[in-house]
Amino acid sequence: MLKKGEKNKNALIPGVESYREGTGEFSLLGSVSLLSLSPGLEDMARLLAAYLTREGVTPVVGKGDHPGEGPAITLKIEGKAEEHEMGFPDESYHLEVQADRIALTAPHRAGLARAVQTLRQLAGTGTAIPAAEIGDRPRLPWRGMHLDVSRHFFSKEEVLRFIDTIALFRFNKFHFHLTDDQGWRPEIKKYPRLTEVGSRRSGTLIGHYSDKPHRFEDTPYGGFYTRRDMEEIVEFARVREIDIIPEIDMPGHMQAAISAYPELGCTGMTLEPRCTWGISQHILNPQETTLNFMRDVLDEIMDIFPYTFIHVGGDEAHKYEWEEQRRVQDRMAELGLESEEELQSWFISRMGEHVRRRDRRMIGWDEILEGGLADGAIVMSWRSEEGGIEAARLGAPVINCPCERTYFDYYQGPKEKEPLAIGGYLPLEKVYRFEPVPAEIPDSKKYLVMGSQGQLWSEYMETFDRVEYMAFPRALALAETLWCRPEEKDWEGFQDRLPRALSLLDRWGVNYHGREPRRG
Ligand code: TNX
């Protein structure tokens, strides 16, 4: 990691742990052979080849244990992977650039995937890469970005593009917020009405939710992902060693599903997917048929998304309907539960058991602590850091993503100069200075904090261009905060490196805050 005052020659974001300058440079003009020296790396070699082609290099992809004449780039699994106490793969890597060779080595594919992205950054800044030796590894294993595709829908192509952009900054988790009151996005074969009815709303709020009276744009709005789309997204992320965390938000935030299948709700009322923002008061009923329905949904989701972590939401569930409905009160009595919070906790616990049966782990927003934390659950602390501190005290793993530091739907500049956003104020420096492991957690429990992630709630992000505008460069600050150890972080150095990183975004056609308007 380059220290303050150094020239930040490599301009990498996140900064790397060690960088030693060599002599000479590897030219990016002309042809280069690209060799995978270990089995099973062909996909990664092809990915790197595609990146380099964009930089004007002509890569010839091959296999074998020994590069021939001429410049070559090699990929190899090498060394003993370190065991992580939470079971995450070793993401360390080594990258050596010489005049006619670039060697990428890592003990695990995950590290090699990070090395590929570091090389993608190095290649994107000129016609040659200066000789150097890089040794690198992340501080924290959970470095994520979240995207809400319910409030506004983003196409498969846009989602792929987003994953490819966050990969560039060595993120390794993509939290896919697939369902909410305003639209159900994943196709579920067993329950086709979820997308037939639940993916389309009749209109959308104009302006801010707090502007009264509410005005609506009456054009129907919708979109969903077919199973094939989701499989393609999974494959795209797999090559880049990014895990996708699908979220099916329950028992609140379910108005779109209840619109499609009214029997899931408490009142039997005919509903439509919600056209405005804010929180719906409609909630799932806690009958066994509803639980089975959700188990079926989770089964299909787990068939599509092969990763360990499954998110079941649990946030902001208004419990009025539970309080008012005789049927629900009877159910509570039958289950021996004393409060609606306990009922929510019971509901979430049933989902947790289901997920565990398939050897997966359940994540929920911090509200899942209320009424008792489900066994084995992981807590995503968003309202503040308190939920995370409490969860760690209970011995539960934590993703620490408090809104005041990680909500990229907040304003990033003076309100008068920015396009409409939800509110709040989260400038770049405040993201950079975020310490993801709360000091209040005793040292012996700090390992439970797996990391953090940036949230992109899309109420006020009508287009994908706006998503990128809100995400970048704040995601770069977060990436460095999660990758580098606190003593390696350096706000001035980060700012020096930023223009080069932004020029990479320009090269890849990614929008960001502070970008010069496109000409012509
Ligand atoms: C709270 S964060 C929500 C979302 C909203 C967001 C807006 C969380 C778990 N729930 O439903 O989109 O605030 O910032």
Side-chain angles (χ1 to χ4, degrees), residues 164-352:
D164 203 33
T165 308
I166 64 172
L168 181 57
F169 303 101
R170 283 170 260 150
F171 279 101
N172 65 357
K173 300 277 180 280
F174 173 58
H175 175 169
F176 206 5
H177 184 78
L178 285 165
T179 68
D180 218 303
D181 296 319
Q182 292 83 357
W184 182 281
R185 307 298 174 208
E187 176 190 38
I188 300 294
K189 297 277 189 208
K190 189 160 181 185
Y191 302 113
R193 284 175 61 83
L194 285 171
T195 44
E196 282 165 15
V197 175
S199 75
R200 247 177 126 64
R201 58 179 183 249
S202 59
T204 300
L205 182 77
I206 299 171
H208 199 275
Y209 186 61
S210 60
D211 300 342
K212 298 282 166 58
H214 282 168
R215 286 186 308 128
F216 294 89
E217 154 100 64
D218 289 329
T219 328
Y221 182 93
F224 67 92
Y225 307 106
T226 63
R227 201 172 166 130
R228 179 79 212 106
D229 289 338
M230 291 183 279
E231 286 164 356
E232 228 178 281
I233 293 170
V234 165
E235 172 57 17
F236 188 90
R238 186 195 63 75
V239 181
R240 289 157 181 77
E241 289 284 329
I242 290 187
D243 289 357
I244 301 179
I245 294 82
E247 178 181 353
I248 305 295
D249 199 347
M250 63 181 97
H253 288 278
M254 269 282 170
Q255 186 168 323
I258 301 172
S259 308
Y261 293 94
E263 63 273 25
L264 297 172
C266 290
T267 65
M269 242 161 88
T270 313
L271 298 171
E272 288 189 65
R274 190 171 163 95
C275 297
T276 181
W277 316 132
I279 314 166
S280 164
Q281 60 174 352
H282 302 294
I283 185 167
L284 295 178
N285 76 58
Q287 307 304 324
E288 206 51 39
T289 46
T290 305
L291 293 176
N292 284 333
F293 187 107
M294 290 302 146
R295 289 182 182 113
D296 292 340
V297 168
L298 289 178
D299 277 336
E300 289 199 28
I301 290 292
M302 289 190 277
D303 290 342
I304 300 166
F305 297 95
Y307 314 95
T308 307
F309 304 98
I310 301 291
H311 203 305
V312 299
D315 57 314
E316 301 177 322
H318 282 326
K319 317 235 171 28
Y320 313 117
E321 292 183 346
W322 283 359
E323 285 159 21
E324 280 164 14
Q325 295 284 316
R326 185 72 266 150
R327 207 160 60 113
V328 177
Q329 292 298 317
D330 289 347
R331 177 83 165 142
M332 271 170 62
E334 171 196 315
L335 294 165
L337 301 172
E338 282 172 7
S339 66
E340 287 72 24
E341 283 66 39
E342 283 183 25
L343 181 58
Q344 155 142 347
S345 168
W346 173 86
F347 192 113
I348 296 287
S349 297
R350 301 288 79 71
M351 295 301 119

Side-chain angles (χ1 to χ4, degrees), residues 387-403:
I389 296 166
E390 168 69 10
R393 202 171 293 134
L394 297 169
V398 175
I399 298 143
N400 184 33
C401 46
C403 53

Side-chain angles (χ1 to χ4, degrees), residues 151 253 315-316 365 382 407 409 422 457 459:
R151 276 56 177 270
H253 288 278
D315 57 314
E316 301 177 322
W365 296 107
W382 72 277
Y407 271 35
D409 56 344
I422 194 159
W457 297 105
E459 289 95 330

